Amino acid sequence: MNIDEFSVKAIGVPFKPHGRKWEGWDCWGLICVAYKELFNIELPSYTDDYESTKDREKIAELYLKGRELSWYEVDRPDVGDIVFLYMFGRMCHVGLAVNDEKILHVEHGINTCLERIKTFRIEGIYRYGGD
């Protein structure tokens, strides 16, 4: 499956807290499924590490910790890069770059959709570097 096929299939998948399957996912779940499908990479799930997607402080902490171990920052997004985004005053949301202008993302109340990166406040763009 390539990124275009993944995007078409992913659009409309509902938000589901702690979801890590095609039936529903949260923003990190989308990333986990994408990395498994597109790159055969198992990312940490983090589902046992936070109670709710409203636990934004804990989610930000998990993202920062995981990012330090496996990701490096890049200037421009490319297919499969993770775009860390600010929401509610902190970095607690992620999207998957499908090209240098758009990301797939999902959030509470919004099914998976494709949006322009410029729509968001970006913390940074990161590429997976392995463990």
Side-chain angles (χ1 to χ4, degrees), residues 45-102:
S45 172
Y46 300 132
T47 56
D48 293 333
D49 298 318
Y50 66 97
E51 299 251 342
S52 158
T53 55
K54 293 181 182 180
D55 190 0
R56 295 177 187 101
E57 187 171 318
K58 182 64 176 178
I59 290 170
E61 177 185 311
L62 290 168
Y63 286 167
L64 291 171
K65 180 180 171 187
R67 189 177 74 194
E68 289 173 5
L69 298 174
S70 303
W71 305 84
Y72 61 94
E73 192 166 12
V74 295
D75 292 330
R76 289 182 53 88
D78 198 2
V79 172
D81 289 341
I82 304 304
V83 182
F84 285 87
L85 306 165
Y86 287 105
M87 292 188 84
F88 307 103
R90 67 179 62 243
M91 191 277 297
C92 63
H93 188 52
V94 293
L96 177 73
V98 298
N99 58 39
D100 65 349
E101 294 183 3
K102 294 187 178 184

Side-chain angles (χ1 to χ4, degrees), residues 26-53:
D26 57 23
C27 64
W28 186 252
L30 165 62
I31 302 302
C32 289
V33 172
Y35 266 71
K36 180 65 177 160
E37 296 273 333
L38 295 169
F39 310 117
N40 200 29
I41 295 171
E42 294 272 350
L43 295 176
S45 172
Y46 300 132
T47 56
D48 293 333
D49 298 318
Y50 66 97
E51 299 251 342
S52 158
T53 55

Side-chain angles (χ1 to χ4, degrees), residues 7 19 34 46 48 58 60 103 110 116 130:
S7 296
Y46 300 132
D48 293 333
K58 182 64 176 178
I103 61 169
I110 299 174
R116 295 182 58 81

